[in-house]
Amino acid sequence: MQIIRFNNLGAEILGVDVKTLSDGDFAKIYRTWLDCNVICVRDQVLTIEAYLAYSRRFGVISPHPSKSTRHPECPEVTLLGINKFNADGTLNNDIYRRGGEGFHTDGSYEAVPYKATQLYALAIPSRGGDTFFSSAYAAYDALPQRLKNKLEGRYGTFKYGGLKQLNALLDEKDRLVPPVRHPLVQVHPETGRKLLYFDQGKILTIEGLDTADSMATIEEMMAYMVQPPCQYRHQWRKGDVVIWDNRCSYHKAAADYPPEEDRIHWRVSIKSQ
């Protein structure tokens, strides 16, 4: 097994087959993941059963609330990138641009957010379609002390679709699920490092601040997320298995590949054991 790290954010793992990983080799991969926030295991050939078995080594798979994009034979898996054209031939931007609205963390709308998200690349376009990652540790470190003090001990309220109500992929009844609350400054449960927990597309308010102050503070936080520090850009290859830690990282899709070409992934959302 060869592990190539990229400046403390992102790592590439070569020379392994995730179907036959020993406990010792998996422990090395897991440690690298904690250290680097996001890892890619290259050159995998997986059935859906093998993909699920490997994913469960990280935690418990939780079906995504977007029922319309779940795998028809396996609801634990979301199919990304299929059915991106409407019946009239126009591009469905909710599918094509999914994940490209800005840096975010998956599952902030859940009472227990996702520990991790994992993708397996089935089809990759000839150009574009990269995924960007950034560090929530670095984002916290970059905040001015004034803002760190203001956010310490405060909770944000989060909801799928956020203030813009970008929830077209949800069933109508699932759009009525009430917001949840999470502390904005957190300590990672496994690394002990402090981080900024933030999702610009799903945060509604900051508790304890009046409406104007809450919105102004969210805007200030978003300014740091337009060009967050410590980034890694993943250029996909078919057979890549990429997992990122939603507790300490943000990500966004480039949403820039030729629409007529396929960019298809299996996706699972993982919670702690």
Side-chain angles (χ1 to χ4, degrees):
M1 177 167 58
Q2 182 182 9
I3 299 175
I4 304 169
R5 299 191 181 205
F6 308 121
N7 299 322
N8 297 317
L9 180 66
E12 181 179 84
I13 298 173
L14 306 173
V16 299
D17 182 345
V18 301
K19 298 189 297 292
T20 58
L21 276 177
S22 67
D23 289 343
D25 281 345
F26 178 74
K28 292 177 185 176
I29 288 176
Y30 193 89
R31 183 69 254 173
T32 302
W33 177 62
L34 289 180
D35 291 343
C36 298
N37 298 28
V38 52
I39 58 171
C40 171
V41 184
R42 299 280 194 187
D43 304 320
Q44 301 303 296
V45 180
L46 302 175
T47 64
I48 201 164
E49 293 81 8
Y51 177 57
L52 291 173
Y54 175 62
S55 300
R56 290 189 181 106
R57 298 183 82 165
F58 289 89
V60 177
I61 297 174
S62 177
H64 194 273
S66 175
K67 298 182 178 69
S68 63
T69 56
R70 291 178 182 174
H71 192 290
E73 298 174 3
C74 184
E76 291 176 304
V77 172
T78 293
L79 278 170
L80 296 180
I82 65 165
N83 300 325
K84 63 177 181 283
F85 290 99
N86 298 313
D88 62 1
T90 59
L91 185 65
N92 183 335
N93 274 299
D94 291 319
I95 298 293
Y96 174 74
R97 296 191 59 82
R98 187 174 186 179
E101 301 81 16
F103 279 100
H104 60 283
T105 180
D106 291 336
S108 61
Y109 46 80
E110 298 265 351
V112 178
Y114 302 138
K115 172 185 179 180
T117 302
Q118 184 155 259
L119 301 185
Y120 174 50
L122 301 174
I124 299 303
S126 61
R127 56 185 171 84
D130 297 349
T131 302
F132 298 86
F133 297 93
S134 64
S135 167
Y137 301 135
Y140 176 78
D141 291 343
L143 296 179
Q145 191 60 48
R146 166 191 55 80
L147 190 51
K148 288 180 181 178
N149 293 342
K150 187 174 188 177
L151 297 176
E152 188 71 42
R154 292 196 185 276
Y155 283 71
T157 59
F158 299 84
K159 184 176 174 62
Y160 193 107
L163 291 169
K164 294 182 179 180
Q165 300 185 44
L166 300 176
N167 54 17
L169 295 178
L170 294 185
D171 291 352
E172 189 171 350
K173 65 180 180 61
D174 292 328
R175 299 172 190 173
L176 303 177
V177 174
V180 298
R181 56 196 298 270
H182 300 299
L184 296 171
V185 176
Q186 299 188 11
V187 174
H188 193 287
E190 294 186 83
T191 69
R193 297 178 64 187
K194 226 170 193 183
L195 60 98
L196 176 66
Y197 189 82
F198 183 61
D199 187 326
Q200 60 183 323
K202 302 186 182 67
I203 192 167
L204 301 175
T205 61
I206 298 176
E207 292 183 353
L209 304 181
D210 62 39
T211 300
D213 194 8
S214 175
M215 294 306 299
T217 304
I218 289 171
E219 288 291 331
E220 186 176 7
M221 295 165 72
M222 286 175 62
Y224 284 91
M225 302 316 299
V226 173
Q227 289 293 333
C230 197
Q231 289 193 41
Y232 161 63
R233 178 173 183 161
H234 185 71
Q235 296 178 305
W236 289 93
R237 301 179 199 164
K238 184 178 178 180
D240 282 355
V241 177
V242 172
I243 186 168
W244 60 89
D245 191 335
N246 284 298
R247 301 166 296 181
C248 61
S249 65
Y250 320 110
H251 63 282
K252 69 173 181 177
D256 63 349
Y257 67 96
E260 69 276 9
E261 297 186 19
D262 284 334
R263 181 185 185 273
I264 300 173
H265 295 81
W266 286 340
R267 164 182 166 169
V268 290
S269 303
I270 300 170
K271 294 190 176 183
S272 297
Q273 298 282 8

